[in-house]
Amino acid sequence: MGLVPPGLRGRVYGLLRGRPWRGLPVPSLVLWFWVSAALGAATHVVWDAFTHPGRWGVRLLPVLGETAAGFPLYYYAQYGSSALALVVVAVFLVSAVRRSPDAVLPVSVPRPAASGRFLAVTLLGLCAAVGAVHRCVRRHAATGWDYNLVDYTPTAVFGAGAGLAAGLAVHAAAVRAHRWRPSREPPGTEPAPRPGGTAAAPAAPAGPHHAEAAGSRESPEAAAGAEPVEGRPW
């Protein structure tokens, strides 16, 4: 949450927190989770069968193996559907954030300045780039393929995802270590007075003598019951 722009943190946090589910029956929650996981896994496996060579979906529809502009049709189905899905997910996230309530962030959420967010984004970008390069180099060493956009795009994407995950773990550990760093001041010490500052005078004990002393410092006008003149120190 600390990497989200300040103007969107409340809405993004409200979206991630979701609706309160406490008090709902546990069996129904487990059932809905199982149904959603099963649907996601089934659609993924079934669609992969029509977008990867040698799968039963490509054998079922031989037309997917035909070539157009130098590439098989299942290749266009695979990357075309991925690009379309990214657009749908982006539209959903933008609309969901706009409709999300502006929730109050917990105190535990870090709130870095612009420079801190820039350093964190730079770290994550470097980790993603290193992961993509490392995976492409390993793929080239294993297959001997020439570097090109077609053959190495999936490899670079998976490597960037792995590097981004490692960068997020490093960033989270650094933030926690910075927040847990102990103070250098010994416990029980008072902050040093500011230069040129004056210490506060000790409070006088309460009692009848103190009340009499306070009354003796009243102005003559106040003692006489008259209104004080504007501009006078009292």
Side-chain angles (χ1 to χ4, degrees), residues 33-186:
F33 173 79
W34 182 86
V35 170
S36 62
L39 286 176
T43 53
H44 180 86
V45 172
V46 171
W47 187 243
D48 277 359
F50 292 90
T51 57
H52 289 73
R55 306 287 179 91
W56 62 268
V58 176
R59 296 195 302 268
L60 181 64
L61 299 176
V63 66
L64 295 175
E66 296 183 2
T67 303
F71 300 102
L73 293 182
Y74 63 77
Y75 180 88
Y76 294 102
Q78 178 183 358
Y79 290 98
S81 60
S82 299
L84 179 62
L86 286 177
V87 174
V88 172
V89 170
V91 172
F92 167 75
L93 289 178
V94 171
S95 61
V97 170
R98 289 180 176 177
R99 291 183 285 105
S100 176
D102 195 1
V104 179
L105 271 69
V107 181
S108 58
V109 175
R111 295 168 174 80
S115 59
R117 293 197 302 273
F118 175 78
L119 291 177
V121 171
T122 302
L123 169 66
L124 298 179
L126 289 176
C127 290
V130 170
V133 172
H134 177 262
R135 186 137 182 175
C136 289
V137 170
R138 292 186 57 187
R139 182 67 177 270
H140 178 74
T143 61
W145 295 346
D146 295 333
Y147 289 106
N148 56 74
L149 186 63
V150 175
D151 294 332
Y152 285 90
T153 295
T155 304
V157 170
F158 282 111
L164 181 61
L168 287 173
V170 172
H171 170 68
V175 171
R176 291 298 180 183
H178 177 72
R179 298 186 65 183
W180 288 343
R181 185 175 55 187
S183 177
R184 296 182 179 179
E185 296 181 358

Side-chain angles (χ1 to χ4, degrees), residues 168-229:
L168 287 173
V170 172
H171 170 68
V175 171
R176 291 298 180 183
H178 177 72
R179 298 186 65 183
W180 288 343
R181 185 175 55 187
S183 177
R184 296 182 179 179
E185 296 181 358
T189 57
E190 296 293 337
R194 293 179 297 176
T198 58
H209 299 288
H210 173 66
E212 294 175 1
S216 61
R217 288 195 297 267
E218 292 181 350
S219 62
E221 289 85 352
E227 293 291 335
V229 180

